[in-house]
């Protein structure tokens, strides 16, 4: 009932905003207290026509990574739109250039999910390397009959080499776990050198081919854009060790789905751990789901209490500052 009450514009003199999904109260309560807020009440995303109707006449919108924010969205919202506050650190769902052209501020939610995401990447790394999910399925299927000297053999982690693609905040947090906890050698590939990670963790910046060829684990932490889309394709997988484990907690389209399937099926690489797929959700008939060497989670890397509350707080701050025409707490554009 409370949700239904929240979900219609009240027609007050408060600024009109839309929130495209129910987000944690840590942010939502402040938004509904100070704005005439429409909150989409369903757990599933609004259909496109409903989204476009919901944003019409709004000064600010809180969006999720499942909402495409583009020219059509801005046209539907109208010229009074001041801010789009994305409830995510990634913003590949938003046409930022178009927003900037129209003078709409864009905000995101960095930092608060860095450690949670790195934890998830490492959890997937161990799960895939040590065949944990596959072994659990084996137990549940009643196949565990005895201790098997050559059964369920995985790959070692201690003092191996991790290749990190994208050495930003999350890549660095992943590097710290790999170096500090498991004594790994760190290779990384990034457009920019990260002196801190080189100094603190002895990481070495290398070309992509060297990273692929030398790493026991390859973990991708880069953003999705037209340069990075599909960067993990059959050519990349062919350059990796046959014992390698591929981890993607960033965005599904960074890897070519069919090529990853072929690489796992044919033994080109040993295993993969994915928190993201393309598309999301993955189809239940997708052949990747039948491969025992692929661990898949439903995009949950930021799903911890403190991360999601932190994201909601920043999303609310960005929205409320934006409708006042002020600089956002975490701006994507208009950063000056
Ligand atoms: C993000 O924030 O971009 C994640 O993918 C969801 O938390």
């Amino acid at each position: 009932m409370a949700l239904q009450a929240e979900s219609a514009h009240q027609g007050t003199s408060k600024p009109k905003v839309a929130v495209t999904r129910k987000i944690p109260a840590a942010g939502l309560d402040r938004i509904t207290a100070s704005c005439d807020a429409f909150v989409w009440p369903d757990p599933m995303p609004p259909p496109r026509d409903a989204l476009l109707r919901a944003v019409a006449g709004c000064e600010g919108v809180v969006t999720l990574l499942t909402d495409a924010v583009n020219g059509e969205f801005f046209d539907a919202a109208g010229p009074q739109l001041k801010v789009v506050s994305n409830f995510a650190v990634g913003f590949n769902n938003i046409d930022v250039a178009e927003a900037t052209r129209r003078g709409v501020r864009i905000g995101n939610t960095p930092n608060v999910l860095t450690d949670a995401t790195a934890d998830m990447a490492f959890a997937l790394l161990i799960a895939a390397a040590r065949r944990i999910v596959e072994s659990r399925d084996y137990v549940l299927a009643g196949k565990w009959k005895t201790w098997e000297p050559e059964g369920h053999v995985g790959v070692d982690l201690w003092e191996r080499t991790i290749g990190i693609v994208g050495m930003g905040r999350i890549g660095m947090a992943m590097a710290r776990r790999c170096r500090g906890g498991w004594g790994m050698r760190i290779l990384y590939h990034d457009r920019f050198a990260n002196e801190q990670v080189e100094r603190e963790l002895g990481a070495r910046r290398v070309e992509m081919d060297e990273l692929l060829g030398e790493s026991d684990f390859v973990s991708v932490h880069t953003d999705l854009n037209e340069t990075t889309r599909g960067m993990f394709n059959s050519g990349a997988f062919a350059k990796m060790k046959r014992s390698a484990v591929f981890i993607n907690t960033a965005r599904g389209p960074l890897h070519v789905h069919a090529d990853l399937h072929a690489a796992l099926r044919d033994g080109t690489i040993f295993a993969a751990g994915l928190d993201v797929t393309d598309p999301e959700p993955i189809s239940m008939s997708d052949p990747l789901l039948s491969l025992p060497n692929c661990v898949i989670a439903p995009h949950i890397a930021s799903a911890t209490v403190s991360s999601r509350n932190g994201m909601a707080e920043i999303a609310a701050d960005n929205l409320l500052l934006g409708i006042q025409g002020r600089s956002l707490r975490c701006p994507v554009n208009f950063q000056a």
Side-chain angles (χ1 to χ4, degrees):
M1 282 302 110
L3 259 184
Q4 277 170 7
E6 280 172 356
S7 64
H9 282 294
Q10 307 297 308
T12 65
S13 57
K14 293 176 177 174
K16 188 173 165 184
V17 302
V19 183
T20 69
R21 223 69 46 78
K22 187 172 177 285
I23 63 170
L28 190 60
D29 286 354
R30 283 170 46 227
I31 295 172
T32 53
S34 51
C35 301
D36 175 9
F38 170 87
V39 182
W40 179 253
D42 297 335
M44 292 301 288
R48 188 70 181 165
D49 57 342
L51 174 71
L52 298 181
R53 275 198 306 278
V55 302
C58 285
E59 290 183 47
V61 184
V62 175
T63 51
L64 264 62
L65 48 85
T66 41
D67 304 315
V69 178
N70 52 18
E72 180 189 48
F73 177 103
F74 295 123
D75 285 344
Q80 75 300 321
L81 182 69
K82 294 180 185 151
V83 58
V84 172
S85 169
N86 214 35
F87 183 75
V89 64
F91 46 85
N92 56 291
N93 58 309
I94 299 179
D95 184 341
V96 178
E98 184 60 21
T100 306
R101 200 179 66 73
R102 296 183 186 232
V104 177
R105 293 180 194 272
I106 303 296
N108 69 339
T109 63
N111 302 317
V112 289
L113 46 66
T114 298
D115 285 312
T117 304
D119 285 346
M120 186 69 190
F122 204 85
L124 287 168
L125 191 159
I126 300 190
R130 297 303 310 271
R131 306 173 63 172
I132 291 172
V133 176
E134 178 192 341
S135 299
R136 176 182 181 273
D137 292 346
Y138 184 86
V139 173
L140 294 187
K143 293 181 182 166
W144 185 16
K145 304 294 181 204
T146 184
W147 187 84
E148 301 168 54
E150 294 189 296
H152 316 287
V153 175
V155 299
D156 289 290
L157 279 74
W158 178 245
E159 293 185 341
R160 294 307 194 260
T161 297
I162 176 94
I164 294 182
V165 179
M167 191 55 92
R169 287 178 294 259
I170 299 173
M172 247 177 106
M174 177 66 166
R176 287 202 174 97
R177 282 152 179 76
C178 293
R179 180 78 201 146
W182 275 262
M184 290 188 202
R185 178 169 78 117
I186 317 279
L187 302 180
Y188 76 100
H189 181 77
D190 198 296
R191 275 183 307 150
F192 304 105
N194 183 325
E195 284 169 17
Q196 191 182 353
V197 83
E198 293 181 12
R199 196 177 54 247
E200 285 178 13
L201 306 177
R204 196 159 63 83
R205 181 167 167 236
V206 294
E207 292 303 322
M208 196 62 183
D209 280 3
E210 184 177 347
L211 181 142
L212 294 172
E214 290 211 7
S215 299
D216 298 296
F217 311 108
V218 175
S219 192
V220 53
H221 300 280
T222 188
D223 56 337
L224 175 64
N225 56 49
E226 285 324 303
T227 313
T228 59
R229 182 179 293 274
M231 71 188 297
F232 286 94
N233 53 21
S234 54
F237 293 125
K239 290 175 185 158
M240 288 166 65
K241 296 182 180 178
R242 289 182 81 81
S243 56
V245 175
F246 172 70
I247 305 299
N248 188 355
T249 51
R251 286 291 182 267
L254 292 167
H255 65 257
V256 178
H257 195 77
D259 292 1
L260 177 61
H261 174 259
L264 291 168
R265 181 198 58 203
D266 300 344
T268 308
I269 63 171
F270 180 73
L274 308 176
D275 187 47
V276 289
T277 60
D278 181 26
E280 290 184 6
I282 192 168
S283 158
M284 286 311 291
S285 59
D286 194 300
L288 211 49
L289 293 178
S290 60
L291 292 182
N293 54 347
C294 188
V295 179
I296 304 182
H299 204 146
I300 60 167
S302 66
T304 68
V305 174
S306 71
S307 291
R308 290 285 165 87
N309 284 343
M311 290 166 71
E313 283 170 19
I314 298 174
D317 284 346
N318 284 340
L319 182 85
L320 298 175
L321 288 165
I323 57 182
Q324 294 166 36
R326 294 168 57 194
S327 298
L328 307 192
R329 176 169 161 193
C330 300
V332 167
N333 61 358
F334 298 109
Q335 284 168 330

